[in-house]
Amino acid sequence: QVQLVESGGGLVQPGGSLRLSCAASELSFSSYAMGWFRQAPGKEREFVASISRSGGSTFSADSIKGRFIISRDNAKNTVYLQMNSLKPEDTAVYYCAAGRTFLKESILSTESQYNYWGQGTQVTVSS
């Protein structure tokens, strides 16, 4: 059974940093583009960032560009989201997702393109 398990969330002050990890199991990891989404209280889930199968291509939402970096380690079946200069509006549950693609550099930016989802990890940015 495919599992995506997020970790690294928590409480951080504005301006601080966190690094989220998502470990995949029972998945041919390098055959999947990976993405991060988030859902704030009372809001719909939104796209944050995506990375291609090879890791050579990435795409990020405008709201986090220049602050968040997505990366992956195919040898460890893990995708990361380095979050810097955090703001209170970044407070949300963060989800990782895996989407099967045939092209190594494909980027997936919509929920419907993803096949598997993690349970989420809470990130709270507050003083």
Side-chain angles (χ1 to χ4, degrees):
Q1 183 177 355
V2 173
Q3 279 194 317
L4 300 177
V5 180
E6 301 97 336
S7 61
L11 173 64
V12 63
Q13 291 186 343
S17 297
L18 281 176
R19 187 196 196 202
L20 304 184
S21 300
C22 172
S25 60
E26 303 300 326
L27 186 76
S28 181
F29 189 72
S30 61
S31 296
Y32 287 77
M34 299 298 294
W36 287 96
F37 290 76
R38 68 184 181 185
Q39 186 168 21
K43 295 187 177 181
E44 293 186 351
R45 189 157 56 185
E46 64 175 0
F47 169 78
V48 174
S50 177
I51 188 166
S52 63
R53 287 170 50 188
S54 71
S57 299
T58 62
F59 179 69
S60 303
D62 288 342
S63 59
I64 60 94
K65 277 183 180 175
R67 300 189 297 123
F68 294 8
I69 301 170
I70 187 171
S71 62
R72 67 188 294 162
D73 185 338
N74 285 349
K76 295 183 178 180
N77 288 3
T78 302
V79 62
Y80 305 97
L81 186 67
Q82 177 66 43
M83 305 187 295
N84 302 318
S85 302
L86 282 160
K87 305 175 182 180
E89 51 264 43
D90 294 318
T91 295
V93 177
Y94 283 72
Y95 299 90
C96 73
R100 186 75 165 88
T101 64
F102 294 100
L103 298 177
K104 282 189 177 181
E105 299 307 326
S106 291
I107 294 294
L108 309 178
S109 60
T110 61
E111 290 189 39
S112 62
Q113 294 176 300
Y114 286 88
N115 306 106
Y116 301 104
W117 293 81
Q119 294 298 309
T121 185
Q122 176 70 47
V123 172
T124 302
V125 184
S126 175
S127 55

